[in-house]
Structure formats: structure tokens, C-alpha cells
Coordinates of all heavy atoms in Angstrom, one line a residue:
M1 N 0.8 -1.2 0.0 CA 0.0 0.0 0.0 C 0.9 1.3 0.0 O 0.6 2.2 -0.8 CB -0.9 0.0 1.2 CG -1.7 1.3 1.5 SD -2.9 1.1 2.7 CE -2.0 1.4 4.2
Y2 N 1.9 1.3 0.8 CA 2.7 2.5 1.0 C 3.7 2.6 -0.2 O 4.1 3.7 -0.5 CB 3.4 2.5 2.3 CG 2.5 2.7 3.5 CD1 2.3 1.7 4.4 CD2 1.7 3.8 3.6 CE1 1.4 1.8 5.5 CE2 0.8 4.0 4.6 CZ 0.7 3.0 5.6 OH -0.2 3.2 6.6
I3 N 4.1 1.5 -0.8 CA 5.0 1.6 -1.9 C 4.4 2.3 -3.1 O 5.1 3.1 -3.8 CB 5.6 0.2 -2.3 CG1 6.7 0.3 -3.2 CG2 4.5 -0.7 -2.9 CD1 8.0 0.7 -2.6
V4 N 3.1 2.1 -3.3 CA 2.5 2.8 -4.4 C 2.4 4.3 -4.1 O 2.6 5.2 -5.0 CB 1.1 2.2 -4.7 CG1 0.3 3.0 -5.7 CG2 1.2 0.8 -5.1
A5 N 2.1 4.6 -2.9 CA 2.0 6.0 -2.4 C 3.4 6.7 -2.6 O 3.5 7.8 -3.1 CB 1.5 6.2 -1.0
I6 N 4.5 6.0 -2.2 CA 5.8 6.6 -2.3 C 6.2 6.8 -3.8 O 6.8 7.8 -4.2 CB 6.8 5.7 -1.6 CG1 6.6 5.7 -0.1 CG2 8.3 6.1 -1.9 CD1 7.3 4.7 0.7
A7 N 5.8 5.8 -4.6 CA 6.1 5.9 -6.1 C 5.3 7.1 -6.6 O 5.9 7.9 -7.5 CB 5.7 4.6 -6.8
W8 N 4.1 7.3 -6.2 CA 3.3 8.4 -6.7 C 3.9 9.7 -6.3 O 3.9 10.7 -7.0 CB 1.8 8.3 -6.3 CG 1.0 9.4 -6.9 CD1 0.4 10.3 -6.2 CD2 0.6 9.6 -8.2 NE1 -0.3 11.2 -7.0 CE2 -0.2 10.7 -8.3 CE3 1.0 8.9 -9.4 CZ2 -0.7 11.2 -9.5 CZ3 0.4 9.4 -10.6 CH2 -0.4 10.5 -10.6
I9 N 4.4 9.8 -5.1 CA 5.0 11.0 -4.6 C 6.2 11.4 -5.4 O 6.5 12.5 -5.8 CB 5.4 10.9 -3.1 CG1 4.2 10.8 -2.2 CG2 6.3 12.0 -2.6 CD1 4.4 10.4 -0.8
Y10 N 7.0 10.3 -5.8 CA 8.2 10.5 -6.6 C 7.8 11.1 -8.0 O 8.4 12.0 -8.5 CB 9.0 9.2 -6.7 CG 10.2 9.3 -7.6 CD1 11.3 10.0 -7.2 CD2 10.2 8.7 -8.9 CE1 12.4 10.0 -8.0 CE2 11.2 8.8 -9.7 CZ 12.4 9.5 -9.3 OH 13.5 9.5 -10.1
V11 N 6.8 10.5 -8.6 CA 6.4 10.9 -9.9 C 5.9 12.3 -9.9 O 6.3 13.2 -10.7 CB 5.3 10.0 -10.5 CG1 4.6 10.5 -11.7 CG2 5.9 8.6 -10.8
V12 N 5.0 12.7 -8.9 CA 4.5 14.0 -8.9 C 5.6 15.0 -8.5 O 5.6 16.2 -9.0 CB 3.3 14.1 -7.9 CG1 2.8 15.5 -7.7 CG2 2.2 13.2 -8.4
L13 N 6.5 14.6 -7.7 CA 7.6 15.5 -7.3 C 8.4 15.9 -8.6 O 8.8 17.0 -8.8 CB 8.5 14.9 -6.3 CG 9.7 15.7 -5.8 CD1 9.2 17.0 -5.1 CD2 10.6 14.9 -4.9
L14 N 8.7 14.9 -9.4 CA 9.4 15.2 -10.7 C 8.5 16.1 -11.6 O 9.1 17.0 -12.3 CB 9.8 13.9 -11.4 CG 10.8 13.1 -10.7 CD1 11.1 11.8 -11.5 CD2 12.1 13.9 -10.5
M15 N 7.2 15.9 -11.6 CA 6.3 16.7 -12.4 C 6.4 18.2 -11.9 O 6.4 19.1 -12.6 CB 4.9 16.2 -12.3 CG 4.6 15.0 -13.1 SD 3.0 14.3 -12.9 CE 1.9 15.8 -13.0
A16 N 6.4 18.3 -10.5 CA 6.4 19.6 -9.9 C 7.7 20.3 -10.2 O 7.7 21.6 -10.4 CB 6.1 19.5 -8.4
L17 N 8.8 19.6 -10.2 CA 10.1 20.2 -10.4 C 10.3 20.7 -11.9 O 11.0 21.7 -12.1 CB 11.2 19.2 -10.1 CG 11.4 18.9 -8.7 CD1 12.5 17.8 -8.5 CD2 11.8 20.1 -7.9
T18 N 9.5 20.1 -12.8 CA 9.6 20.6 -14.2 C 8.6 21.6 -14.5 O 8.4 22.0 -15.7 CB 9.5 19.4 -15.2 OG1 8.2 18.8 -14.9 CG2 10.5 18.4 -15.0
G19 N 7.8 22.1 -13.5 CA 6.8 23.1 -13.7 C 7.4 24.4 -14.2 O 8.6 24.7 -14.0
P20 N 6.6 25.3 -14.9 CA 7.2 26.5 -15.4 C 7.6 27.6 -14.3 O 8.4 28.4 -14.6 CB 6.0 27.1 -16.3 CG 4.8 26.4 -15.8 CD 5.2 25.1 -15.2
S21 N 7.0 27.5 -13.1 CA 7.4 28.4 -12.1 C 7.3 27.7 -10.7 O 6.8 26.5 -10.6 CB 6.4 29.6 -12.1 OG 5.1 29.2 -11.7
V22 N 7.8 28.3 -9.7 CA 7.8 27.8 -8.4 C 6.3 27.6 -7.9 O 6.0 26.5 -7.3 CB 8.6 28.6 -7.4 CG1 8.5 28.1 -6.0 CG2 10.0 28.7 -7.8
V23 N 5.5 28.6 -8.1 CA 4.1 28.5 -7.7 C 3.4 27.3 -8.4 O 2.6 26.6 -7.8 CB 3.4 29.8 -7.9 CG1 1.9 29.7 -7.6 CG2 4.0 30.9 -7.1
A24 N 3.6 27.2 -9.7 CA 3.0 26.1 -10.4 C 3.5 24.7 -9.9 O 2.7 23.8 -9.8 CB 3.3 26.2 -11.9
G25 N 4.8 24.7 -9.6 CA 5.3 23.4 -9.0 C 4.7 23.1 -7.7 O 4.3 21.9 -7.4
I26 N 4.5 24.1 -6.8 CA 3.9 23.8 -5.5 C 2.5 23.4 -5.7 O 2.0 22.5 -5.0 CB 4.1 25.1 -4.6 CG1 5.5 25.3 -4.2 CG2 3.2 25.0 -3.4 CD1 5.8 26.6 -3.6
M27 N 1.7 24.1 -6.5 CA 0.3 23.8 -6.8 C 0.2 22.4 -7.4 O -0.7 21.7 -7.0 CB -0.3 24.8 -7.7 CG -0.4 26.2 -7.1 SD -1.2 26.3 -5.5 CE -2.8 26.3 -6.0
T28 N 1.1 22.0 -8.3 CA 1.0 20.7 -8.9 C 1.2 19.7 -7.8 O 0.5 18.7 -7.7 CB 2.1 20.6 -9.9 OG1 1.9 21.5 -11.0 CG2 2.2 19.2 -10.5
F29 N 2.2 19.9 -6.9 CA 2.5 18.9 -5.9 C 1.3 18.8 -4.9 O 0.9 17.7 -4.5 CB 3.8 19.3 -5.1 CG 4.3 18.2 -4.2 CD1 4.9 17.1 -4.7 CD2 4.1 18.4 -2.8 CE1 5.3 16.1 -3.8 CE2 4.5 17.4 -1.9 CZ 5.1 16.2 -2.5
L30 N 0.7 19.9 -4.5 CA -0.4 19.9 -3.6 C -1.6 19.2 -4.2 O -2.2 18.3 -3.6 CB -0.8 21.3 -3.2 CG 0.2 22.0 -2.2 CD1 -0.3 23.4 -1.9 CD2 0.2 21.2 -0.9
F31 N -2.0 19.6 -5.4 CA -3.2 19.1 -6.0 C -3.1 17.8 -6.6 O -4.1 17.1 -6.8 CB -3.8 20.1 -7.0 CG -4.3 21.4 -6.4 CD1 -3.8 22.6 -6.6 CD2 -5.4 21.3 -5.5 CE1 -4.3 23.7 -6.0 CE2 -5.9 22.4 -4.8 CZ -5.4 23.7 -5.1
Y32 N -1.9 17.3 -7.1 CA -1.8 16.0 -7.6 C -1.3 15.0 -6.7 O -1.3 13.8 -6.9 CB -0.9 16.1 -8.9 CG -1.5 16.6 -10.1 CD1 -1.1 17.8 -10.6 CD2 -2.5 15.9 -10.7 CE1 -1.7 18.3 -11.8 CE2 -3.1 16.4 -11.9 CZ -2.7 17.6 -12.4 OH -3.2 18.1 -13.5
C33 N -0.7 15.4 -5.6 CA -0.1 14.5 -4.6 C -0.6 14.6 -3.2 O -1.2 13.6 -2.7 CB 1.4 14.8 -4.6 SG 2.3 13.6 -3.6
V34 N -0.5 15.7 -2.6 CA -0.8 15.7 -1.1 C -2.3 15.5 -0.9 O -2.7 14.6 -0.1 CB -0.4 17.1 -0.6 CG1 -0.8 17.2 0.9 CG2 1.1 17.3 -0.7
F35 N -3.2 16.3 -1.5 CA -4.6 16.1 -1.3 C -5.2 14.7 -1.7 O -5.8 14.1 -0.9 CB -5.4 17.2 -1.9 CG -5.1 18.6 -1.4 CD1 -5.0 19.7 -2.2 CD2 -4.8 18.8 -0.1 CE1 -4.7 20.9 -1.8 CE2 -4.5 20.0 0.4 CZ -4.4 21.1 -0.4
P36 N -4.9 14.3 -2.9 CA -5.4 12.9 -3.3 C -4.8 11.8 -2.4 O -5.6 10.9 -2.1 CB -4.9 12.7 -4.7 CG -4.7 14.1 -5.2 CD -4.2 14.9 -4.1
L37 N -3.5 11.8 -2.1 CA -3.0 10.8 -1.3 C -3.5 10.8 0.1 O -3.7 9.7 0.8 CB -1.4 10.9 -1.2 CG -0.7 10.2 -2.4 CD1 0.8 10.4 -2.2 CD2 -1.1 8.8 -2.6
T38 N -3.8 12.0 0.7 CA -4.4 12.1 2.0 C -5.7 11.4 2.0 O -6.0 10.6 2.9 CB -4.5 13.5 2.4 OG1 -3.3 14.2 2.4 CG2 -5.1 13.7 3.8
I39 N -6.6 11.7 1.0 CA -7.9 11.0 1.0 C -7.7 9.5 0.7 O -8.4 8.7 1.4 CB -8.7 11.7 -0.2 CG1 -9.0 13.1 0.2 CG2 -10.0 10.9 -0.4 CD1 -9.6 14.0 -0.9
L40 N -6.9 9.1 -0.2 CA -6.7 7.7 -0.5 C -6.2 6.9 0.7 O -6.8 5.9 1.0 CB -5.8 7.6 -1.7 CG -5.5 6.1 -2.1 CD1 -6.8 5.6 -2.8 CD2 -4.4 6.1 -3.1
L41 N -5.2 7.4 1.4 CA -4.7 6.7 2.5 C -5.7 6.6 3.7 O -5.8 5.6 4.4 CB -3.3 7.3 3.0 CG -2.2 7.1 2.0 CD1 -1.0 7.9 2.4 CD2 -1.9 5.7 1.7
Y42 N -6.4 7.7 3.8 CA -7.5 7.7 4.9 C -8.5 6.6 4.6 O -8.9 5.9 5.5 CB -8.1 9.1 4.9 CG -9.3 9.1 5.9 CD1 -9.0 9.3 7.3 CD2 -10.6 9.0 5.5 CE1 -10.0 9.3 8.2 CE2 -11.6 9.1 6.4 CZ -11.3 9.2 7.8 OH -12.4 9.3 8.7
L43 N -9.0 6.6 3.3 CA -10.0 5.5 3.0 C -9.4 4.1 3.0 O -10.1 3.2 3.4 CB -10.5 5.8 1.5 CG -11.3 7.1 1.4 CD1 -11.7 7.3 -0.1 CD2 -12.6 7.0 2.3
M44 N -8.1 4.0 2.7 CA -7.6 2.6 2.8 C -7.4 2.1 4.2 O -7.3 0.9 4.4 CB -6.2 2.6 2.0 CG -6.4 2.7 0.5 SD -4.9 2.8 -0.4 CE -4.3 1.2 -0.3
R45 N -7.3 3.0 5.1 CA -7.1 2.6 6.6 C -8.4 2.5 7.3 O -8.4 2.2 8.5 CB -6.2 3.7 7.3 CG -4.8 3.3 7.2 CD -4.0 4.0 8.3 NE -4.1 3.3 9.6 CZ -4.3 4.0 10.8 NH1 -4.4 5.2 10.8 NH2 -4.4 3.3 11.9
T46 N -9.5 2.7 6.6 CA -10.8 2.6 7.3 C -11.1 1.3 8.0 O -11.5 1.2 9.1 CB -12.0 2.9 6.3 OG1 -11.7 4.2 5.8 CG2 -13.3 2.9 7.0
S47 N -10.8 0.2 7.3 CA -11.1 -1.1 7.9 C -10.1 -1.4 9.1 O -10.5 -2.0 10.1 CB -10.9 -2.2 6.9 OG -9.6 -2.2 6.3
Q48 N -8.9 -0.9 9.0 CA -8.0 -1.1 10.1 C -8.4 -0.3 11.3 O -8.4 -0.8 12.5 CB -6.6 -0.7 9.7 CG -5.5 -0.9 10.8 CD -4.1 -0.5 10.3 OE1 -3.9 -0.1 9.2 NE2 -3.2 -0.6 11.2
R49 N -8.8 0.9 11.1 CA -9.3 1.7 12.2 C -10.6 1.1 12.9 O -10.7 1.1 14.1 CB -9.7 3.2 11.8 CG -8.5 4.0 11.5 CD -8.9 5.5 11.4 NE -10.0 5.7 10.5 CZ -9.9 5.9 9.2 NH1 -8.7 5.8 8.6 NH2 -11.0 6.1 8.4
K50 N -11.4 0.5 12.0 CA -12.6 -0.1 12.6 C -12.3 -1.4 13.4 O -12.8 -1.6 14.5 CB -13.5 -0.6 11.4 CG -14.8 -1.2 11.8 CD -15.7 -1.5 10.7 CE -17.0 -2.1 11.1 NZ -17.9 -2.5 10.0
R51 N -11.3 -2.1 12.9 CA -10.8 -3.3 13.7 C -10.2 -2.9 15.0 O -10.5 -3.5 16.1 CB -9.8 -4.1 12.9 CG -10.4 -5.1 11.9 CD -9.3 -6.0 11.4 NE -8.1 -5.4 10.9 CZ -7.9 -5.0 9.7 NH1 -8.9 -5.2 8.8 NH2 -6.8 -4.4 9.3
E52 N -9.4 -1.8 15.0 CA -8.8 -1.3 16.2 C -9.9 -0.8 17.2 O -9.8 -1.1 18.4 CB -7.8 -0.2 15.9 CG -6.6 -0.7 15.2 CD -5.7 0.5 14.7 OE1 -6.1 1.7 14.9 OE2 -4.6 0.2 14.2
R53 N -10.9 -0.1 16.7 CA -11.9 0.4 17.6 C -12.7 -0.8 18.2 O -13.0 -0.8 19.4 CB -12.9 1.3 16.8 CG -13.9 1.9 17.7 CD -14.8 2.9 16.9 NE -15.5 2.3 15.8 CZ -15.3 2.7 14.5 NH1 -14.5 3.7 14.2 NH2 -16.0 2.1 13.6
T54 N -13.0 -1.8 17.4 CA -13.8 -3.0 17.9 C -13.0 -3.7 18.9 O -13.5 -4.1 20.0 CB -14.1 -3.9 16.7 OG1 -14.8 -3.2 15.7 CG2 -14.9 -5.1 17.2
T55 N -11.7 -3.9 18.7 CA -10.8 -4.6 19.7 C -10.7 -3.8 21.0 O -10.8 -4.4 22.1 CB -9.4 -4.7 19.1 OG1 -9.5 -5.4 17.8 CG2 -8.5 -5.5 20.0
K56 N -10.6 -2.5 20.9 CA -10.5 -1.6 22.0 C -11.8 -1.7 22.8 O -11.8 -1.8 24.1 CB -10.3 -0.2 21.6 CG -10.0 0.8 22.8 CD -9.7 2.1 22.3 CE -9.5 3.1 23.4 NZ -9.1 4.5 22.9
Q57 N -13.0 -1.7 22.2 CA -14.3 -1.8 22.8 C -14.4 -3.1 23.5 O -14.9 -3.2 24.6 CB -15.4 -1.5 21.9 CG -15.6 -0.1 21.4 CD -16.6 0.1 20.4 OE1 -17.1 -0.9 19.8 NE2 -16.9 1.4 20.1
A58 N -14.0 -4.2 22.8 CA -14.1 -5.5 23.4 C -13.2 -5.7 24.7 O -13.7 -6.2 25.7 CB -13.7 -6.6 22.4
A59 N -12.0 -5.1 24.6 CA -11.2 -5.1 25.8 C -11.8 -4.3 26.9 O -11.7 -4.7 28.1 CB -9.8 -4.6 25.4
L60 N -12.4 -3.2 26.6 CA -13.0 -2.4 27.7 C -14.2 -3.1 28.3 O -14.3 -3.1 29.5 CB -13.4 -1.0 27.1 CG -14.0 0.0 28.0 CD1 -13.0 0.4 29.1 CD2 -14.5 1.2 27.3
Q61 N -15.0 -3.7 27.5 CA -16.1 -4.5 28.0 C -15.7 -5.7 28.9 O -16.2 -6.0 29.9 CB -17.0 -5.0 26.9 CG -17.8 -3.9 26.2 CD -18.6 -4.5 25.0 OE1 -18.5 -5.6 24.6 NE2 -19.5 -3.6 24.5
H62 N -14.6 -6.3 28.4 CA -14.0 -7.4 29.2 C -13.5 -6.9 30.6 O -13.7 -7.6 31.6 CB -12.9 -8.1 28.4 CG -12.3 -9.3 29.2 ND1 -12.9 -10.4 29.5 CD2 -11.1 -9.4 29.7 CE1 -12.1 -11.2 30.2 NE2 -11.0 -10.6 30.3
E63 N -12.9 -5.8 30.5 CA -12.3 -5.2 31.8 C -13.5 -4.8 32.7 O -13.4 -5.1 33.9 CB -11.5 -4.0 31.4 CG -10.9 -3.3 32.6 CD -10.1 -2.1 32.3 OE1 -9.5 -2.1 31.2 OE2 -10.0 -1.2 33.1
R64 N -14.5 -4.2 32.2 CA -15.7 -3.9 33.0 C -16.3 -5.1 33.6 O -16.7 -5.1 34.8 CB -16.7 -3.1 32.2 CG -16.3 -1.7 31.9 CD -17.3 -1.0 31.1 NE -16.9 0.4 30.8 CZ -17.5 1.1 29.9 NH1 -18.6 0.7 29.2 NH2 -17.1 2.3 29.6
A65 N -16.5 -6.2 32.8 CA -17.1 -7.4 33.3 C -16.2 -8.0 34.4 O -16.7 -8.5 35.4 CB -17.3 -8.4 32.2
T66 N -14.9 -8.0 34.2 CA -14.0 -8.5 35.2 C -14.1 -7.7 36.5 O -14.1 -8.3 37.6 CB -12.6 -8.5 34.7 OG1 -12.5 -9.2 33.4 CG2 -11.6 -9.2 35.7
M67 N -14.2 -6.4 36.4 CA -14.3 -5.6 37.6 C -15.6 -5.8 38.3 O -15.7 -5.8 39.5 CB -14.1 -4.1 37.2 CG -12.7 -3.8 36.7 SD -11.4 -4.0 37.9 CE -11.5 -2.5 38.8
H68 N -16.7 -6.0 37.5 CA -18.0 -6.2 38.1 C -18.0 -7.5 38.9 O -18.5 -7.6 40.0 CB -19.1 -6.2 37.0 CG -20.4 -6.5 37.5 ND1 -21.1 -5.5 38.3 CD2 -21.3 -7.5 37.4 CE1 -22.3 -6.0 38.6 NE2 -22.4 -7.2 38.1
V69 N -17.4 -8.6 38.3 CA -17.3 -9.9 39.0 C -16.5 -9.7 40.3 O -16.8 -10.2 41.3 CB -16.8 -11.0 38.1 CG1 -16.5 -12.2 38.8 CG2 -17.8 -11.2 37.0
K70 N -15.4 -9.0 40.2 CA -14.5 -8.9 41.3 C -15.2 -8.1 42.4 O -15.0 -8.4 43.6 CB -13.2 -8.1 40.9 CG -12.2 -8.0 41.9 CD -10.9 -7.3 41.4 CE -9.9 -7.2 42.5 NZ -8.7 -6.5 42.1
D71 N -15.9 -7.0 42.0 CA -16.6 -6.2 43.0 C -17.7 -7.1 43.7 O -17.9 -6.9 44.9 CB -17.3 -5.0 42.4 CG -16.3 -3.9 42.0 OD1 -15.1 -4.0 42.5 OD2 -16.6 -3.1 41.2
N72 N -18.4 -7.9 43.0 CA -19.4 -8.8 43.6 C -18.8 -9.8 44.6 O -19.3 -10.1 45.6 CB -20.2 -9.5 42.5 CG -21.2 -8.6 41.8 OD1 -21.5 -7.5 42.3 ND2 -21.6 -9.0 40.7
Q73 N -17.6 -10.3 44.2 CA -16.9 -11.2 45.1 C -16.4 -10.5 46.4 O -16.5 -11.1 47.5 CB -15.8 -11.9 44.4 CG -16.2 -12.9 43.3 CD -15.0 -13.4 42.6 OE1 -13.9 -12.9 42.7 NE2 -15.2 -14.4 41.8
D74 N -16.0 -9.3 46.2 CA -15.5 -8.6 47.4 C -16.6 -8.2 48.3 O -16.4 -8.1 49.6 CB -14.7 -7.3 46.9 CG -13.4 -7.7 46.3 OD1 -12.9 -8.8 46.4 OD2 -12.8 -6.8 45.6
S75 N -17.8 -7.8 47.8 CA -18.8 -7.4 48.6 C -19.7 -8.5 49.1 O -20.7 -8.2 49.9 CB -19.7 -6.3 47.9 OG -20.3 -7.0 46.8
A76 N -19.5 -9.7 48.7 CA -20.3 -10.8 49.2 C -20.1 -11.1 50.7 O -19.0 -11.0 51.2 CB -20.0 -12.1 48.4
P77 N -21.2 -11.3 51.4 CA -21.0 -11.5 52.9 C -20.4 -12.9 53.1 O -20.7 -13.9 52.4 CB -22.4 -11.5 53.4 CG -23.3 -11.8 52.2 CD -22.6 -11.3 51.0
T78 N -19.6 -12.9 54.1 CA -18.9 -14.2 54.4 C -19.3 -14.5 55.9 O -19.3 -13.7 56.8 CB -17.4 -14.1 54.4 OG1 -17.0 -13.0 55.2 CG2 -16.9 -13.8 52.9
N79 N -19.6 -15.8 56.1 CA -20.0 -16.2 57.4 C -18.7 -16.9 58.1 O -18.3 -18.0 57.6 CB -21.1 -17.3 57.4 CG -22.4 -16.6 57.0 OD1 -22.6 -15.4 57.3 ND2 -23.3 -17.3 56.4
L80 N -18.2 -16.2 59.0 CA -17.0 -16.7 59.7 C -17.4 -17.3 61.1 O -16.5 -17.5 61.9 CB -15.9 -15.6 59.8 CG -15.4 -15.1 58.5 CD1 -14.4 -14.0 58.7 CD2 -14.8 -16.2 57.7
D81 N -18.7 -17.4 61.3 CA -19.1 -17.9 62.7 C -18.8 -19.3 62.9 O -18.9 -20.2 62.2 CB -20.6 -17.6 62.9 CG -20.9 -16.1 62.9 OD1 -19.9 -15.4 63.3 OD2 -22.0 -15.7 62.5

């Protein structure tokens, strides 16, 4: 995934360097490289972010369930008579 992005950055950088002016080169780099790659990489990571969020929520629920069971065991009355 990242190798394609790096190759695209290289291609657009060379395009920007051959621009007729500095401003045209900067605009070429921004509009052909930075903005599209930002959107593309964000969309490509969507499933990974979803998995991470699901894993984090499952761990939090497990932690809460463990704490609830532990609290119930600690507060249970014990007959030591």
C-alpha cells in the first residue's frame, strides 16, 4: 500500500520540479499528490481503524465485566461464625 504512495510522490515531485514556475510546481504537488494521497490513505485505513476500535471496545467490556465480578466477590457476605 505504501510503496504505491511513495512511487506516486516521486512521480508528482518530478512533475512539480519541471513546472514553469515555483508556484506552479507547488500547486502541482499539492493538487496532484498531497490532497489525493491524503484522501486515498485515509480511505484505505478505514477497515484497520474499525478493527482497532472494535478490539478496544471488546477489551474495555471485558475489563468492566471482570471488575464487576471482582466487586461482587469482594462485597459478598462471608460467614465466619
Side-chain angles (χ1 to χ4, degrees):
M1 170 171 85
Y2 293 115
I3 191 73
V4 174
I6 292 169
W8 183 248
I9 291 170
Y10 176 74
V11 168
V12 175
L13 182 64
L14 292 179
M15 286 173 47
L17 290 175
T18 60
S21 68
V22 174
V23 174
I26 291 171
M27 297 304 281
T28 299
F29 191 74
L30 286 176
F31 288 118
Y32 282 113
C33 183
V34 175
F35 297 142
L37 277 181
T38 302
I39 294 168
L40 181 69
L41 293 175
Y42 177 80
L43 292 175
M44 290 176 71
R45 269 201 79 223
T46 300
S47 61
Q48 183 179 358
R49 284 193 313 272
K50 184 178 179 180
R51 277 193 309 270
E52 289 172 357
R53 184 176 59 239
T54 305
T55 304
K56 186 177 179 180
Q57 287 175 350
L60 184 61
Q61 287 177 351
H62 178 69
E63 181 180 330
R64 286 181 182 167
T66 305
M67 294 298 275
H68 181 67
V69 169
K70 184 178 178 183
D71 288 343
N72 285 342
Q73 288 176 350
D74 290 343
S75 64
T78 56
N79 289 334
L80 299 176
D81 295 330

